[in-house]
Amino acid sequence: MAMTNPTEPLLMEDESMRDGLQMESRRFSLEEKLQLFHLLAQAGLRRIQVGSFVHPAVVPQMADTDALIRHIGPQGDTLVSALILNEKGLERALACGVRHVSMSVSVSETHSRKNARRSAAEALASMTVLIGQALAAGLEARGGLQCAFGCVYEGAIAETAVLDAALKMAASGVREINLADTTGMATPRSIRSLVRKVGEALPRVRLSLHLHDTRGLGLANLFAGYEAGVRSFDVCAGGLGGCPFVKGAAGNVPAEDAVQMFEAMGIDTGVNLEALCAAVAFLEEKLERSLPGRMKRVLDQRRGCERS
């Protein structure tokens, strides 16, 4: 599959149940997570990352990921995904029956030591082996490189370092690699440049982007990635998200804003905006605050004008 295939359909993976909820102090029950999942699936999101297999002492919000996946069960056209960071996580993934997993490491030495408690080189070598094991076990796996566009602790990350890591990860046999702007430092120019370099080196590997809106460039970076040929993007309903190991990390690109942007330009997303905003409303009700995404407020205001 060529990374720059212009006829490839757009895929948005919603990560509000993992990247979004992991930062929230308000614990969501299993029943509430199931409600959120079904709202997202009914909106037409075809891949949903529902949790991560991490120790509950580190991320308490993810403690019931195994049970959640068992309750969700097979979902037909909606692919359920989860994040794996180590061997124990892979064991749990295989035991609960999830079909798709994301497996990522940081290309930033400092972030890697804070996040994985090992050097970037050690983490990459270990994860590459683990990806091979996941693929051999029959799982669909996506590799990921965190801090690919910069690190708040180290500043700029050399594109050559990211490319070298991508080549090593691709050697595991993985068919998709996610380039993550973990600290929200990317610009449209850096998105286009890195996507081009990695895409040229790995033309048969599907590239996806994980973008944070820390500096207000989330949508601009997302569209720059689209123009560069990327067709898979991570988003979060409402703009939830962030990394507990990154100072000042803001949320992901709001799913509803991304849907609006693409649809307004005639690019089919397969997602129903009204239904997606119902999921945002559910999150705002449970969290008792407004979320950063704009389109739910736009639709609410439009309904108010129509009633007046």
Side-chain angles (χ1 to χ4, degrees), residues 14-23 28-41 48-52 59 61-62 64-65 68-69 72 80-81 235-237 240-241 252 282-283:
D14 187 89
E15 298 197 345
S16 54
M17 297 183 67
R18 197 276 303 172
D19 203 352
L21 296 188
Q22 73 177 4
M23 293 292 287
F28 278 62
S29 68
L30 181 63
E31 291 72 21
E32 288 171 333
K33 288 182 180 180
L34 285 168
Q35 282 181 272
L36 178 56
F37 173 82
H38 289 299
L39 286 169
L40 295 169
I48 302 173
Q49 192 173 109
V50 300
S52 59
V59 188
Q61 193 76 257
M62 300 292 105
D64 58 359
T65 296
L68 176 63
I69 290 171
I72 291 172
V80 176
S81 183
V235 292
C236 276
L240 279 176
N252 295 94
F282 174 83
L283 283 166

Side-chain angles (χ1 to χ4, degrees), residues 53 81-84 93 98-103 134 139-143:
F53 298 105
S81 183
L83 179 68
I84 288 177
V98 70
R99 292 167 47 204
H100 184 280
V101 292
S102 286
M103 309 169 75
L139 294 179
E140 295 181 58
R142 177 180 82 169

Side-chain angles (χ1 to χ4, degrees), residues 84-87 102-105 118 122-133 143-144 169 172:
I84 288 177
L85 297 176
N86 51 39
E87 294 82 357
S102 286
M103 309 169 75
S104 63
V105 294
R118 58 175 66 181
E122 291 170 335
L124 177 61
S126 177
M127 189 60 73
T128 299
V129 172
L130 200 63
I131 290 172
Q133 293 172 350
M169 186 167 276
S172 69

Side-chain angles (χ1 to χ4, degrees), residues 90-152:
L90 178 57
E91 292 175 12
R92 291 172 59 188
L94 293 171
C96 73
V98 70
R99 292 167 47 204
H100 184 280
V101 292
S102 286
M103 309 169 75
S104 63
V105 294
S106 183
V107 291
S108 158
E109 187 69 23
T110 306
H111 180 252
S112 180
R113 291 189 181 278
K114 288 178 176 290
N115 193 26
R117 297 184 178 87
R118 58 175 66 181
S119 71
E122 291 170 335
L124 177 61
S126 177
M127 189 60 73
T128 299
V129 172
L130 200 63
I131 290 172
Q133 293 172 350
L135 293 170
L139 294 179
E140 295 181 58
R142 177 180 82 169
L145 299 174
Q146 303 159 18
C147 295
F149 298 94
C151 173
V152 291

Side-chain angles (χ1 to χ4, degrees), residues 257-304:
D257 295 356
V259 168
Q260 160 64 21
M261 180 186 72
F262 282 123
E263 295 285 351
M265 293 187 292
I267 300 168
D268 182 35
T269 64
V271 179
N272 182 290
L273 182 60
E274 293 269 359
L276 179 54
C277 286
V280 178
F282 174 83
L283 283 166
E284 291 185 336
E285 176 189 354
K286 299 301 178 184
L287 295 171
E288 299 182 334
R289 72 173 192 272
S290 296
L291 295 177
R294 295 174 174 83
M295 282 312 300
K296 177 183 173 293
R297 292 196 296 275
V298 170
L299 294 182
D300 287 345
Q301 292 167 356
R302 183 184 302 168
R303 295 188 194 97

